[in-house]
Amino acid sequence: MTKKDRAKRAVAALKALYPDVRCTLDYDTPLHLLIATQLAAQCTDARVNIVTKTLFEKYPDANAFANADFDELCEDIRSTGFFRNKAKNIIACCKKILSDYDGKVPDTMDALLTLAGTGRKTANLILGDIFKKPAVVVDTHCTRLSQKIGLTENSAPEKIEKDLKALLPPEEQLDFCHRLVAHGRAVCTARSPKCEICSLNEFCKSYKK
């Protein structure tokens, strides 16, 4: 079976399992998704959603974050971990959004990567969920499952992104990544994957081994 065939079957199987998928981070504005995604580094989405429920009321826009007191912001986001570095990046990110992008989250990969605390994973999530552009979000679930299924042999996120973009139709890319997250949490867990009941086991390269 070619990788293209494997990808086609994976898209269909995951779409049947998880027809309605979305980003599991809560947000109301493009900026809030950007901030939430930065906070989610080395932290669960569930914890981030608890923190941002009050955080986004306190800091509704880029101006509020850009002018935040550093120590106070650290305390506001402490429970997400690595809070000092995250607070520094959030403030710097929002200052650049104000100075270079008229207070709005930019809509290109190159522009997003100029923002502090924003790597390709975060940028792709913004491009896909906010601006509805083709995007491959390579997180730990995407990395692990795409390797197990047999869609990539790479471990570097940027190479996995390139591999998946070559295999997946543009309109399927973002939702496929969201579905990998759902499947990685529900069935193909890291510690004890439920291979016997997995709908992907007929074409999963790891299961065949």
Side-chain angles (χ1 to χ4, degrees), residues 11 27 34 36 52 62 68 74 91 106 112 116-118 127 136 139 141 170 201:
V11 166
Y27 65 95
L34 178 62
T52 56
C74 282
I91 291 172
L112 285 163
T118 306
L127 291 175
V136 172
D139 63 1
H141 293 289
N201 63 21

Side-chain angles (χ1 to χ4, degrees), residues 128-146:
D129 271 4
I130 298 299
F131 297 109
K132 310 306 177 186
K133 296 183 178 184
V136 172
V137 182
V138 183
D139 63 1
T140 55
H141 293 289
C142 178
T143 297
R144 184 168 54 81
L145 271 67
S146 60

